[in-house]
Amino acid sequence: METGNVTTPFGRRSMTLGMLANQVMAGEIKPDQSVDKWKLFRALCEAKPLLGIGDRALAVLNALLSFYPKNELAQENGLIVFPSNVQLSLRTHGMAEQTVRRHLAALVEAGLLLRKDSPNGKRYVRRDRAGEVDEAFGFSLAPLLARAEEIEQLAAEVMAERLHVQRLRERITLCRRDIAKLIEAAVEEEIPGDWQGLYREFRDLIEGLPRSPTTSQLELLLDELTALRTDILNRLEIRVKSTKQRGNADYFERHIQNSNPESTSELEPGFETKQGAIAEQDNDRGAVTLEKRRGEAAHPGGQKEEEQSRRPDVRNDGGGLKSFPLGLVLQACPEILAYGPDGVIRNWRDLMAAAVIVRSMLGVSPSAYEEAANVMGPENAATVMACILERGGHINSAGGYLRGLTRRSEKGEFAIGPMLMALLRANAPPGRKAG
């Protein structure tokens, strides 16, 4: 059967130079050339962005290939398939015939199919006396065979581009994590610097990325994030080197002391005693030196005042978490101010009392909140409740969310800093202050 002859389309469809070029190319297929039709179809699925075809057009092409009797596309097996639109509709899971015709035209336009129309435009086959195909009218798959090498090359380019984008996204994710945690560490360690400004710059870079970014936009974002991370690292390294040069023992002592809230929180019945016990256990740990204990025995009143004057703003509570200054918490979570005594929160006791009210209002069980306080520490548990209240419209189950944070805190996978800084930025400039 001659498949390389030039044919013109039936009816009102006009002949184009592109159609002629495709027919000429299909006529140059080597006699021994063959390709696995399903392997080629998978390559087509990968290369579809570069070929200008969509998913539904590929579904129609898949149906056409299923009518080809052999797995290998080869000229000696014939390359014409002749199913009716009704049959194609059935094999495309009920696609409308009009839609089938539209996508067939798109495949012809993309140079993946050729029409070999009969005199009356119908698709059919003539067989000889032995039952072999003598002549067929329908769609020729010859362009697929002729372009097999090109299609596989295009698929390889698409896959390489996808891998490049995936690696870009991975590196961007690592940069984002590094920047967020480095800024958090700087805030917790009270290192001087405009860390809020750097955090805003960081968020502006992330939020400036389009929903579906191009490869060049991802590369630009990675370069900017890498430069920002380098800047932050340089600042921290300068601080570390200056600290080593000073050799200030008091600086190090300040960070190994373990301070506790000045008063126990007003929580659920019977829970206050547990908090007191936790506070005593924290004070009995190795974080408090023997010299400090002797000083407390000699000067019981003055030692407490000295400890409070030396206590850093960022406290270290249970579970390895550090609690942030009360003013920072209220600036990031102003909604909880309304639940403090007389609508004002003056100290940690007021915040923890307000957290109990919020807990009940949001439907968080006493056991969930008690567990959070045991794992994170009472100050941090109250801070988390303030954050949950601030983000209440985005959280479906406050109790489940709190238990999830508690589990992560037990594993050392949760830090309050990024949550607070995100809320701080969302609420800037702050509208309300602590009383």
Side-chain angles (χ1 to χ4, degrees), residues 192-257:
D194 184 17
W195 302 112
Q196 290 190 22
L198 289 172
Y199 186 79
R200 284 193 296 270
E201 179 182 351
F202 166 57
R203 293 309 308 173
D204 288 341
L205 289 176
I206 299 302
E207 293 173 2
L209 190 69
R211 189 175 186 86
S212 299
T214 62
T215 303
S216 59
Q217 288 173 330
L218 289 174
E219 291 172 343
L220 178 61
L221 175 63
L222 178 60
D223 291 341
E224 292 174 335
L225 289 177
T226 301
L228 180 59
R229 180 178 62 180
T230 302
D231 181 28
I232 295 172
L233 281 173
N234 289 338
R235 298 184 186 211
L236 295 179
E237 287 175 0
I238 291 173
R239 178 68 175 184
V240 170
K241 290 178 181 179
S242 64
T243 301
K244 288 182 178 180
Q245 291 173 357
R246 287 201 312 267
N248 190 346
D250 290 338
Y251 176 82
F252 293 101
E253 180 185 355
R254 173 186 192 192
H255 292 282
I256 63 172
Q257 288 181 353

Side-chain angles (χ1 to χ4, degrees), residues 107-121:
L107 290 169
V108 173
E109 182 69 22
L112 300 176
L113 290 180
L114 284 178
R115 293 182 187 273
K116 186 178 181 182
D117 289 341
S118 65
N120 62 2

Side-chain angles (χ1 to χ4, degrees), residues 88-133:
L88 286 173
S89 177
L90 290 174
R91 293 207 183 181
T92 52
H93 307 287
M95 185 183 294
E97 291 184 34
Q98 183 178 1
T99 306
V100 170
R101 286 194 294 270
R102 186 171 69 253
H103 290 302
L104 285 171
L107 290 169
V108 173
E109 182 69 22
L112 300 176
L113 290 180
L114 284 178
R115 293 182 187 273
K116 186 178 181 182
D117 289 341
S118 65
N120 62 2
K122 302 293 183 182
R123 300 171 205 155
Y124 58 87
V125 62
R126 285 201 188 98
R127 300 181 185 274
D128 57 21
R129 292 183 178 181
E132 297 295 329
V133 175

